[in-house]
Amino acid sequence: MNAIEREHDNPLGYEKVSTLLRRFAVPSIVAMLVSSLYNIVDQIFIGQGVGYLGNAATNVAYPLTTICLAIALLFGIGGAANFSLALGSGNKDGAARTVCNVLYMVILFGIVYAVLIELFLRPMLNAFGATENVLPFAVKYAKITAIGMPFLIFTNAVSALIRADGSPKYSMMCMVTGAVINTILDPLFIFGFKMGIEGAAWATILSQFISFLCALRYLRHFQSIDLKREYFQFRIGSCIQTASLGLSNCLTQVSITLIQIVMNNSLTYYGVRSIYGEDIPLSAAGVVMKVNSILTAVFVGLSQGSQPILGYNYGAVQYERVKGVYKLAVKCSFVVSVLGFIMFQFFPQYIIAIFGSGDNELYIEFAVKFMRTFLFMIIINGVQLISSNFFSAIGKPFKGIMLSLSRQVIFLIPLMLLLPIFWGIDGVMLAAPVADTIAFVFSIIMIRKEFHKMHHSNEKVENKGSDIR
C-alpha cells in the first residue's frame, strides 16, 4: 500500500498494532477507571463520614449501577462493534444508522430503568441483601442516584461510539470531567454541607449530568460519518443486531449483579453464624469489590480499546492483525494483574484503611482475609474478560456470551452456593479463585480454536490468489 492510498484509507487497517492499541486503549482505560471512581470515591468519603454501615449501604445499592452499565454496554459496545464492522466493509450509511438507533434505545431504556427503580426500590434492596441496619442508608442513597441513571447510560453508550469513531481522548474526557467534579463535590456535600450519604448521591448525579453534556456535544462532530436526518429512523432489525453484539458485555455486567446478590445474601446468612455478624462481611465485601473494580476497569478498558481495531481488521479480512491485537491486550492485562496481585496479597490492610472503620478489629480482620482469598487468582482474570469481548468484536456474539457466562454464572455462583455448606463463610471467599481458574482454561480453549479457524481461512485466501495468478 503506497502513501497516497493510505491517506484515503483507515489507519486501523495498516498502522502498527501496538501504536493503535496504545492510542485507543489508554484513553479507554482512563475512562473506565474514572467511571469506577464514581463509586469508589463515594465509598471512601461515606466510609470516613458515615462509617461501615454507610459502606454496606453503597454495596447493597451497587447492583443498581451494574444493571445500568449492563444496559449501556448492550447498546454502546454492541453499537460500537456494529459501527466498526460497517466501516471496515465500507458501509458508512449502515454505520450512521447504527448510531441513530443506539441513541433511540439508550434514551428509552434509561428513562424506563429510572422509573422502575423509584417504584420498586425497597424490594430490590432487600433482594440485594440489605439488613435491617443497612436498609435506611441504602434507600437514601439509591433513591437519589436513580435520577442520574439515564445520564449514566447515555454517557457510557455514546462514549463507546466515540471511541469507535476514532476519538478515544474525547471519550476519556467525558468521563474524567464528571469524575473530577464528583471528587470535589463529595467532601463538600458530605462534610461541608453535612448532608451525609445523601450528599454523596447528589454529588454523583451532578457529575454524571456534566459527563452527559460532554457526550451529547459530540453527536454533531462525528469524523467517520454525517448524522443526516434521513438516518434517524427507528429500525428494529438494527437494534436487534446491535444488541446481539453487545450481549456478551451486557451479560458480564448482569452476571456481576447476580454475583453481588448471591454473595451479599450468603455473607449475611453465614456471617450471622460466625464471629463477624451480618453487617461486617457485607461492608468488607463492598470495599473489596470496589477495589477489584479498579483492575476490572483496566481489563474492560483494554478490551474496549481493542474493539474498533479487532472489528475493522476482521471485517477487512486481516486476521494476523486481529490475532496480534488480542495477544498484545492479554500481555498488557497480565502486567497489570501482577501488580494487583502484589497489592492485594501483601498490602491489603493499607488499602482497607482508606475506606475507614479502622477502629473495628473484626472488620479489618475479615476485610483483609476476604481480599487475599477472593482475589487470589486475579492474575488470570483479564484473559477471560478480553476473550469474551474479542468474540463480540469480530461479530460472533454467541461465543462471547458463552465466555461471559462461564466465569460468573456457570462456575462462580454454583460454587458460591456449594462451598459454604462445607466451609461456612470461608467457602464464599474460596469460590472466586476456583471459578477464575476454570474460566481461564475454558477461555484459552475457545481462543485457540478460533485462531485455528483464522489460520485455515488465510490459507484458503492465499491458495485462491495463487490459483488466479
Side-chain angles (χ1 to χ4, degrees), residues 96 222-228 231:
F222 269 90
Q223 299 179 67
S224 306
I225 58 171
D226 291 322
L227 289 182
K228 299 176 183 177
Y231 295 137

Side-chain angles (χ1 to χ4, degrees), residues 157-170:
V158 173
S159 290
L161 294 172
I162 294 172
R163 282 193 300 272
D165 187 51
S167 301
K169 290 183 180 179
Y170 190 93

Side-chain angles (χ1 to χ4, degrees), residues 130-292:
T131 65
E132 185 179 347
N133 293 328
V134 171
L135 185 60
F137 293 100
V139 169
K140 288 180 181 178
Y141 182 77
K143 197 170 185 64
I144 297 171
T145 54
I147 301 170
M149 293 299 179
F151 303 133
L152 186 60
I153 290 173
F154 185 95
T155 303
N156 278 274
V158 173
S159 290
L161 294 172
I162 294 172
R163 282 193 300 272
D165 187 51
S167 301
K169 290 183 180 179
Y170 190 93
S171 175
M172 175 187 71
M173 185 273 292
C174 292
M175 305 304 297
V176 170
T177 302
V180 170
I181 293 172
N182 187 48
T183 304
I184 295 171
L185 294 181
D186 254 337
L188 178 64
F189 286 4
I190 294 173
F191 303 110
F193 297 159
K194 301 188 184 302
M195 296 171 67
I197 199 168
E198 291 169 302
W202 282 113
T204 298
I205 288 178
L206 291 173
S207 57
Q208 287 171 349
F209 182 70
I210 297 300
S211 291
F212 160 78
L213 292 178
C214 293
L216 185 66
R217 178 181 176 273
Y218 189 85
L219 297 182
R220 298 176 62 88
H221 299 86
F222 269 90
Q223 299 179 67
S224 306
I225 58 171
D226 291 322
L227 289 182
K228 299 176 183 177
R229 182 171 297 179
E230 59 262 31
Y231 295 137
F232 281 88
Q233 297 177 5
F234 182 77
R235 296 171 182 264
I236 188 66
S238 176
C239 291
I240 292 173
Q241 184 182 6
T242 293
S244 70
L245 294 176
L247 196 56
S248 170
N249 289 270
C250 173
L251 288 177
T252 298
Q253 285 294 323
V254 171
S255 58
I256 289 172
T257 304
L258 292 175
I259 288 169
Q260 288 172 320
I261 295 170
V262 172
M263 183 172 67
N264 287 349
N265 284 282
S266 296
L267 288 172
T268 54
Y269 179 81
Y270 290 102
V272 172
R273 291 159 176 75
S274 70
I275 60 173
Y276 304 110
E278 61 180 0
D279 293 327
I280 284 177
L282 198 62
S283 176
V287 169
V288 172
M289 295 302 285
K290 296 291 173 61
V291 172
N292 182 43

